[in-house]
Amino acid sequence: MSHLDGASQARIRTVVEDLEQVLLDFIRDHQITHAEYRTATDLIIDSVKSGEESLLFDVFCEAAATDVGNVGRQGSLEAIEGPFYLPGAPALSGPLNVMPQRDDEKGEPLLFHGIVVDTDGQPLGGVELDLWHADAEGLYSNIHPNIPDWNLRGRFTSEDDGSFRVLTILPPPYEIPKDGPTGTVLRALGRHFFRPAHLHVKLRHRDYAEMTSQLYFRGGEYLDADVANAVREGLVIELRTVDDPTEVAERGLDRPYVEARYDFVLAPTSQA
Ligand code: MBD
Ligand code: FE
């Protein structure tokens, strides 16, 4: 088993040889010295070893790759996964799924709901939604310290009518780790470190292509200035504040919350 299993020999030759040529031209065009070359490779190695995972590349490049995949796509838009997805999040039980959280989890309650359909608009039950996002401090469990494992990470399933509902908290705009190598690069470029508030979600069903989305909130800070340049119009959802006591009580909640809806379209495996 190698990383390149599944890629055709022709494709590998085409893209790897072109990448090689681009980098060689780059080195000559900019007269990159050996010291600069080694600085770059050390920085890349450090960014991985220091636990930033793919952060450096995800901030600079991942959105371009998802844009390529979205051209002509039949399912909902895909979005960047970012560096902090982890498989194996706790399975929640519906119909109102509650994300794993601390007793005193900070942040406004968020009810995120919608339906999952196929490309003909038929509701799809049994779709696994794998949701993960930052806490009110902008930190991710299992990545940043002093957070219970799997906090604000959970998997749940759409109902027979395609609907899903999950109760969590509204994440804030997120400052990416700025004390590591990626931060060093961004600082040197004079850029800030913020991403707009977002939810990450993957959807899976045996008969459909797995997809990765990321949703942002209308009116939020940094929508136009995402350090990862990954916001796309179709990924921005509306937030509605629910503070009518009757409506709050009907939901079984004890304080005002915000609600957001997004409907997903899954594409068949062969023609995502
Ligand atoms: C994130 O949460 C994220 O989504 C990206 C792209 C980069 C860093 C942290
Ligand atoms: Fe994120």
Side-chain angles (χ1 to χ4, degrees):
M1 181 64 193
S2 95
H3 285 294
L4 297 181
D5 287 354
S8 82
Q9 194 64 37
R11 177 70 174 166
I12 293 169
R13 279 195 68 161
T14 304
V15 300
V16 175
E17 287 181 353
D18 191 45
L19 176 62
E20 182 184 31
Q21 199 55 55
V22 165
L23 291 174
L24 294 177
D25 290 345
F26 166 84
I27 289 170
R28 278 190 285 264
D29 289 349
H30 294 279
Q31 289 289 286
I32 300 296
T33 65
H34 185 266
E36 289 171 331
Y37 166 79
R38 188 54 78 211
T39 297
T41 58
D42 284 348
L43 188 140
I44 291 167
I45 291 167
D46 278 356
S47 79
V48 176
K49 285 194 177 165
S50 65
E52 291 190 354
E53 308 289 339
S54 53
L55 179 69
L56 181 63
F57 293 93
D58 293 355
V59 163
F60 283 91
C61 303
E62 192 178 8
T66 53
D67 284 344
V68 169
N70 281 330
V71 175
R73 221 183 104 75
Q74 297 191 28
S76 301
L77 276 187
E78 290 205 278
I80 65 174
E81 176 182 56
F84 300 148
Y85 172 70
L86 290 168
L92 313 180
S93 50
L96 174 60
N97 301 281
V98 180
M99 286 290 269
Q101 54 192 279
R102 291 159 279 198
D103 290 341
D104 59 348
E105 192 68 44
K106 294 195 183 61
E108 207 174 353
L110 166 67
L111 183 69
F112 173 50
H113 66 110
I115 68 168
V116 187
V117 299
D118 67 14
T119 49
D120 296 324
Q122 294 305 308
L124 291 177
V127 175
E128 180 178 88
L129 291 95
D130 193 341
L131 180 71
W132 76 105
H133 64 84
D135 70 10
E137 317 281 325
L139 301 174
Y140 283 81
S141 65
N142 305 52
I143 301 288
H144 301 114
N146 307 320
I147 305 171
D149 281 354
W150 303 110
N151 204 59
L152 302 176
R153 295 176 183 270
R155 286 179 295 136
F156 49 93
T157 306
S158 63
E159 304 293 315
D160 291 343
D161 63 359
S163 68
F164 67 87
R165 259 193 291 163
V166 62
L167 183 64
T168 186
I169 58 103
L170 184 65
Y174 169 79
E175 195 171 32
I176 67 164
K178 60 180 176 190
D179 297 327
T182 306
T184 300
V185 176
L186 292 170
R187 201 173 289 107
L189 294 173
R191 297 191 194 170
H192 68 71
F193 308 95
F194 281 93
R195 301 210 61 222
H198 58 273
L199 302 175
H200 294 272
V201 62
K202 287 178 182 282
L203 288 87
R204 304 185 182 93
H205 185 291
R206 189 170 20 96
D207 302 330
Y208 295 85
E210 177 171 330
M211 63 164 285
T212 301
S213 184
Q214 183 173 159
L215 301 170
Y216 307 91
F217 307 104
R218 180 87 56 214
E221 262 187 291
Y222 301 106
L223 283 176
D224 296 325
D226 179 9
V227 64
N229 192 24
V231 180
R232 301 293 176 268
E233 175 52 30
L235 300 172
V236 182
I237 58 179
E238 311 292 329
L239 280 176
R240 182 175 76 101
T241 300
V242 180
D243 51 12
D244 170 50
T246 317
E247 204 177 340
V248 170
E250 273 169 12
R251 287 290 187 193
L253 298 184
D254 57 4
R255 55 183 170 132
Y257 63 95
V258 289
E259 183 201 64
R261 175 178 183 142
Y262 189 81
D263 296 338
F264 294 95
V265 180
L266 290 195
T269 311
S270 53
Q271 42 181 320

